[in-house]
Amino acid sequence: MNEGRPTLLTLDDDAAIANLIANIGDRSGFRSTALSEPEVFFDSVKDRTPDIIVLDLQMPGHDGVSVLRYLADENIDAKVLLVSGMDERTMTSAEQYGLARGLTMCGGLQKPFEPDELASQLEHVHAKIRAITVEDLQRAINEDELLLYYQPTLQRFPEGNWGVKAMEALIRWQHPVRGLLTPDKFLSMGEKHGLSRVLTDYVIQRGIDRLKVWCAAGLDIGLRMNIAASLISDLEFPDRLEALLEEHGIDPRLVTLEITETAMLDQQSDTFDILTRLRVKNINLAIDDFGIGYSSLTQLFQMPFNEMKIDKSLVGRTPESKEASIMVDALVSLAHKLSLTVCAEGVETAATLEFLGDIGCDCVQGYYVSRPVPADEVPAIVRKWDPALADAEGEARKLNLSA
């Protein structure tokens, strides 16, 4: 049972204090070892590959700074917590030395210390080290730690300029210890343990709430959302979504659901039922990540998609790859012949945006346009890409200045 616990080594020339720290470490979720001889510690560091080292600074023979030097020279990948009777300025200096040498320093604690204070610091480190569990995610859902960020999709107008067409809702987890987590850190685990519908419902509900706010503020933009594969087998999903849009007074044509190619591999008869009813209800459907290796062209005319979203692995290579450019150009042409609009994701440079405009790509998305941002930053992004709004604001500022 203990084998899965992260490891802690503590070095203090006072064996009683070393044992106390080790005991607190055990209670904080670590498998702890107390050492009081630097030479034994040096051997143990290599053998045990600790996750955290609790280190005293004042020791005979080898002081704590020389130990830090050793850890840096040996490229030891462990977090280091200083516990010492030295004054605060000396401890800060030692911590700065460790940081300068590339060590992961996680603060300090002055002796004498309260056991609960050390336990709190170790528990904080433990929460960062150990793997996130499905129980953690369930708690995050229950305690409202999830939130949405939004990434803009630009649309190309006939005049050749670009403007914000929609915002894609992207789930994030504001973890109390690890900070802001992106979906790659927890989404697959949620899907594996049956939480995909809960997470998707969260995105849909919060996203539509935000879309209503944007509409009330006069922002002419839509909402894009990724939906879980499980919802493509839920016959009640189209009616639930339609009812939610009606409840908020949202035009369904403002909503686009993105469905990955991989989610379509095991399509059943219910899949045709669900997707067709969504389109009948005027909800847009985009086949996402198109071109990553699972592409089946038959899906483009057998399924009621009205948009193709070209994967960033192709789009991002267009500046330097002739083959990628030809492929993206061909996909845009094919989509248009099938009466599909096209969105290219992964736009990282002005050159890529210009290329996509030249070949007639309808919409784009990527870090060149904007990274995902909190909801309160969305209006500024819309203004940035809308020359008319920018000009109007400029005139308003001039009037204010001259008043």
Side-chain angles (χ1 to χ4, degrees), residues 85-147:
M86 295 299 299
D87 62 88
E88 184 177 349
R89 291 175 63 184
T90 302
M91 291 186 65
T92 300
S93 178
E95 184 175 3
Q96 291 302 311
Y97 170 73
L99 291 170
R101 291 298 310 274
L103 297 175
T104 304
M105 308 298 292
C106 52
L109 193 62
Q110 285 185 291
K111 298 176 183 177
F113 57 83
E114 291 293 333
D116 287 347
E117 189 176 2
L118 176 59
S120 177
Q121 290 205 32
L122 293 179
E123 287 166 6
H124 187 85
V125 174
H126 181 270
K128 285 187 173 183
I129 292 173
R130 71 171 178 80
I132 294 174
T133 66
V134 67
E135 289 77 18
D136 294 330
L137 182 54
Q138 185 63 67
R139 177 191 54 75
I141 295 169
N142 296 339
E143 298 185 9
D144 201 25
E145 292 177 1
L146 302 179
L147 70 159

Side-chain angles (χ1 to χ4, degrees), residues 162-360:
W162 298 88
V164 177
K165 179 183 182 182
M167 287 286 169
E168 181 176 355
L170 301 166
I171 195 166
R172 297 290 187 266
W173 177 0
Q174 188 62 58
H175 194 281
V177 173
R178 298 169 186 255
L180 191 67
L181 301 181
T182 51
D184 57 295
K185 301 293 192 302
F186 62 90
L187 204 55
S188 60
M189 178 184 63
E191 293 171 350
K192 180 180 178 181
H193 292 277
L195 295 177
S196 56
R197 175 169 169 175
V198 174
L199 294 170
T200 305
D201 283 351
Y202 175 89
V203 173
I204 292 174
Q205 179 66 61
R206 294 297 179 91
I208 289 175
D209 287 344
R210 180 55 57 177
L211 179 59
K212 183 177 181 179
V213 173
W214 293 334
C215 290
L219 295 180
D220 185 20
I221 56 176
L223 178 71
R224 304 176 69 97
M225 299 175 287
N226 297 282
I227 68 169
S230 60
L231 290 180
I232 310 175
S233 59
D234 179 3
L235 289 172
E236 297 180 357
F237 173 64
D239 292 329
R240 290 205 315 273
L241 180 56
E242 181 183 46
L244 186 61
L245 293 172
E246 288 180 351
E247 177 187 343
H248 288 76
I250 299 296
D251 186 340
R253 288 171 295 186
L254 292 175
V255 175
T256 299
L257 301 181
E258 299 186 2
I259 306 166
T260 61
E261 281 190 279
T262 50
M264 304 303 300
L265 292 178
D266 298 323
Q267 54 191 262
Q268 307 293 329
S269 59
D270 287 350
T271 306
F272 292 90
D273 177 318
I274 294 161
L275 295 184
T276 303
R277 287 169 58 224
L278 287 168
R279 284 296 297 132
V280 167
K281 298 176 187 299
N282 289 318
I283 295 166
N284 300 298
L285 297 178
I287 185 165
D288 196 11
D289 299 337
F290 197 84
I292 62 172
Y294 298 96
S295 304
S296 172
L297 294 179
T298 58
Q299 291 180 1
L300 295 179
F301 65 85
Q302 286 184 344
M303 302 300 246
F305 294 104
N306 61 315
E307 180 184 305
M308 174 199 294
K309 194 171 187 184
I310 305 176
D311 187 66
K312 60 185 178 183
S313 62
L314 275 177
V315 177
R317 293 168 54 199
T318 55
E320 72 278 350
S321 170
K322 180 180 178 181
E323 289 78 8
S325 299
I326 292 172
M327 187 69 175
V328 171
D329 190 0
L331 287 175
V332 170
S333 176
L334 173 64
H336 287 166
K337 288 177 181 177
L338 293 173
S339 300
L340 301 172
T341 58
V342 186
C343 179
E345 59 179 339
V347 177
E348 306 287 342
T349 65
T352 305
L353 182 63
E354 183 179 0
F355 165 75
L356 293 168
D358 289 344
I359 64 173

